[in-house]
Amino acid sequence: MVGVVRTQGDFIIMLMRIFPFLNWFKNYTTSDLRADLLSGLTVALVLIPQSMAYAQLAGLPVYYGLYAAFLPPMTGALFGSSHQLATGPVAVVSLMTATALEPLATAGGEAFIAYAIFLSLLVGLFQFALGVLRLGMIVNFLSHPVVSGFTNAAALIIASSQLSKVFGVEVDNAEHHYETVINVFKAALHSTHWPTLGLAVLAFAIMVVLKRVNPRIPQVLVAVVVTSLISWIIGFEYNDKSEISLVASPYVKNTIREYNGILDKIEEGSRARIPLKVKIEDTKKINGPHSVTGMELEHQMELLNLNIKDLKETSQVYRSRLRAIAFESLEESDGKPRFYIKGEVPPNRKSDGRSWRLKVGNRSLDETAITFVGGGSVVGKIPKGLPVFGLPKIDFKAMLTLFPMAAIISLLGFMEAISIAKAMAAKTGQRLDPNQELIGQGMANIIGSIGKGYPVSGSFSRSAVNIQAGAVTGMSSVFTSGVVVIALLFLTPLLYYLPQSVLAAIIMVAVVGLINVQGFVHIWQAQKYDGVIAIISFICTLVFAPHLDKGIIIGVVVSLGLYLFRNMRPDIAILSKYTDGAYRNSARFDLKLCDHIAVIRFNSSLFFTNINYLEEKILEEVSTRPELKYILIVGNSINELDSSGEEMLSLLIGRLRESGHDVCISGLNDSVLDVMRRTHLYEKIGEDHLFRNVAKAIEKIHEPAHRNSQEKECPLLTVCFKGLTVSPPHRKHPEGGKSKTTH
């Protein structure tokens, strides 16, 4: 009977581990249900507009943000360990998604969307695998200074990337992000759409003021409702589609046709690359990688790529030229509008008073329906209903390209999620399991990809709203997902008139919280080398943007390099007695040194990387102190001893003893002593030369070291500042009279 009970108990524990959400319902009450329902609704009111804004940041149509806000919040809560973590689209991961996909496809296109969904699957699988294998510690490779530097830079990049939408101007992305920002300001000087800017400023004001008045008010939702109503009332969106024949300027007509011709040539070149690539691969298989035919085909591919690159640069010039032209419109006798370049309207004719511009994207302009923009940009029509469920198409070639960025997004997203979860757990007293949280985040991304979502993570702002609203369990996130479903099924028409500039304002307000200058100062005050790592990560991320992965990789390499350097040259101090009876760094406290005993504290484990440095410092002491007889190595910080360290230490002790210098070691822990016993170094040093603390060692070796000595006052027994001698205080040490080594 006991065996059966035990088996049932083990089965329940196993179920709890596989389905951690079952723990929610222990002592779950109706008041808990009400609290979770209210908090879930509150978070959803913030999530819906934010998710649309972040989808725009990721280069996707805004409704894909709603798809990413549908299944992931619920799934992340069901399989994660945190009860209050709000999973969904976030700023940094959205920006990283756009960065990862930019080389593969055009933002907003079908291929781009497919890759974004596939990336979510890759991120989820990577996180899930780490969680199942209990490898959550791998996230430690992204040190706090690297993440801090990257996050601050990413916040500036995210905010500045929205400036074009705030000003209502269009510019092409340059090779570097700072060049794009400069181009935006240049365009804004003469092409700012003032109603667009006005609605963005109004949204800023509403969100900032309401947050100060009462943080519980869903300020984002209020800004969305108010600006959408204004947009609808004033007819903010005002577009017209006309034939090219209704453009009065021959120059504009020719420019449009030349631009279309360039895009056609780019398309032809892109199509020509596909069979050429197949030919190259087939030739390599048949004739080997270095055949003459293969090299000729590769040369053709290089020429084709160069030609396409030149054509793309030319198309950017044409796009900028067309976007810069301002038009005025006149109604003709047939009721159709005719468009003139501003300032070229025929005399005695009056325009409609609007300033019109051509809507020019990355595709050819349809000469039968050219879009003229006379107002601002809105979200537009959002597909009604839920997405079509299904696994994303697996593309193994794309997988190889995307995997490095998927790994970075996985680690960054998890770091963001777990740091938020830990902060909330400190308030609620909940116990967190980082590996279970990895599984939860991984499942959120995997299930999200089935529902046409893109990569997600834990959100700081929405998690804060969740806990402030009184969320008790992850049921709040289940209710949040439910509200998003209702929005997708019934409320999408209400979002049509939402201005794009307001979404940009939502993003900019959200990322302000990521900027943490005080964090830089704190890191610098803690350790200057960590401050250097944070600054390097920050600068490299800004300089290499939009290639954000380079900033992270450089930060990680620098942090690992400095870690290795610090371990190669750890802190070594020569100790003497201080006024409190402890043995301290003689250089820091200006203490005299004993002529006959060198007390050397080694502040690291002994590895192959640093054993030579210890040897160098000991030999330096031997060469500069001719009356030296004993070397006492203080090993309290030696937590590990590898084979190289053991070998070199054995050789060093032999050499020192041959030269007439005895060696003792104090403060070694049991694991290090075990290594010495296994290698017989313990016997070589001698049990009578190994001590538990510095005081015991000095008590034993002081007398033989000072035989026939001319030293009047020994700095290891009496406190001797340079130029001054102080008697040691007559007090009992807290640890049974034993002095201890301190910094």
Side-chain angles (χ1 to χ4, degrees), residues 579 590-592 713 715 718-727:
T579 52
D590 202 30
L591 301 171
K592 282 185 178 180
E713 296 284 352
T718 305
V719 181
C720 298
F721 293 101
K722 291 176 181 176
L724 180 66
T725 300
V726 181
S727 298

Side-chain angles (χ1 to χ4, degrees), residues 602-620:
F602 187 70
N603 290 330
S604 176
S605 293
L606 264 174
F607 293 116
F608 67 96
T609 57
N610 58 29
I611 185 65
N612 289 327
Y613 185 60
L614 174 62
E615 180 184 25
E616 178 186 318
K617 285 295 180 183
I618 290 175
L619 295 179
E620 185 181 306

Side-chain angles (χ1 to χ4, degrees), residues 418-708:
I418 197 65
S419 60
I420 297 163
K422 283 179 179 177
M424 292 188 298
K427 293 180 180 179
T428 62
Q430 183 198 343
R431 189 180 171 209
L432 283 179
D433 180 353
N435 290 301
Q436 187 63 50
E437 202 57 58
L438 262 173
I439 291 171
Q441 292 296 302
M443 289 293 291
N445 279 296
I446 292 168
I447 301 299
S449 71
I450 293 172
K452 300 296 182 285
Y454 72 96
V456 297
S457 180
S459 164
F460 180 80
S461 59
R462 295 194 298 272
S463 298
V465 169
N466 200 25
I467 198 168
Q468 285 171 4
V472 179
T473 70
M475 277 300 294
S476 61
S477 293
V478 175
F479 289 127
T480 296
S481 291
V483 175
V484 175
V485 170
I486 293 169
L488 281 167
L489 290 173
F490 306 109
L491 304 179
T492 52
L494 300 177
L495 299 169
Y496 182 96
Y497 292 100
L498 174 59
Q500 295 274 7
S501 62
V502 172
L503 290 180
I506 291 168
I507 291 172
M508 294 174 84
V509 169
V511 298
V512 165
L514 295 176
I515 300 172
N516 183 11
V517 178
Q518 187 56 41
F520 275 122
V521 176
H522 180 78
I523 291 169
W524 182 270
Q525 289 172 339
Q527 289 289 358
K528 285 186 172 55
Y529 53 77
D530 279 340
V532 170
I533 292 169
I535 292 167
I536 289 173
S537 300
F538 176 78
I539 293 171
C540 288
T541 303
L542 283 180
V543 170
F544 288 110
H547 308 291
L548 303 183
D549 52 321
K550 292 183 179 178
I552 293 177
I553 290 168
I554 290 171
V556 169
V557 169
V558 171
S559 62
L560 289 175
L562 283 175
Y563 172 77
L564 288 173
F565 180 76
R566 292 198 309 273
N567 276 280
M568 287 172 66
R569 301 177 69 84
D571 179 53
I572 293 179
I574 312 301
L575 308 182
S576 282
K577 198 160 199 172
Y578 191 59
T579 52
D580 61 358
Y583 292 92
R584 296 184 179 271
N585 190 330
S586 60
R588 173 177 287 192
F589 294 97
D590 202 30
L591 301 171
K592 282 185 178 180
L593 297 176
C594 174
D595 293 337
H596 309 296
I597 303 173
V599 183
I600 301 174
R601 184 180 64 207
F602 187 70
N603 290 330
S604 176
S605 293
L606 264 174
F607 293 116
F608 67 96
T609 57
N610 58 29
I611 185 65
N612 289 327
Y613 185 60
L614 174 62
E615 180 184 25
E616 178 186 318
K617 285 295 180 183
I618 290 175
L619 295 179
E620 185 181 306
E621 290 298 310
V622 170
S623 63
T624 56
R625 294 161 69 177
E627 296 182 29
L628 203 60
K629 295 180 181 178
Y630 276 85
I631 311 292
L632 171 59
I633 300 172
V634 180
N636 297 69
S637 297
I638 302 176
N639 295 315
E640 193 173 346
L641 179 66
D642 73 356
S643 59
S644 300
E646 187 275 336
E647 176 71 18
M648 290 296 291
L649 188 59
S650 178
L651 293 173
L652 177 62
I653 290 170
R655 287 173 57 192
L656 288 169
R657 285 179 174 170
E658 284 176 10
S659 64
H661 301 87
D662 208 349
V663 179
C664 302
I665 306 178
S666 71
L668 295 177
N669 63 40
D670 290 334
S671 63
V672 174
L673 290 171
D674 287 343
V675 173
M676 289 182 170
R677 288 189 182 99
R678 288 197 298 269
T679 59
H680 305 291
L681 179 58
Y682 189 90
E683 290 84 354
K684 181 172 183 177
I685 296 171
E687 189 173 357
D688 58 340
H689 284 66
L690 293 166
F691 303 93
R692 279 293 175 189
N693 56 63
V694 180
K696 286 288 185 185
I698 290 174
E699 182 183 324
K700 180 72 181 291
I701 65 176
H702 187 271
E703 192 276 326
H706 285 76
R707 285 179 192 147
N708 305 317

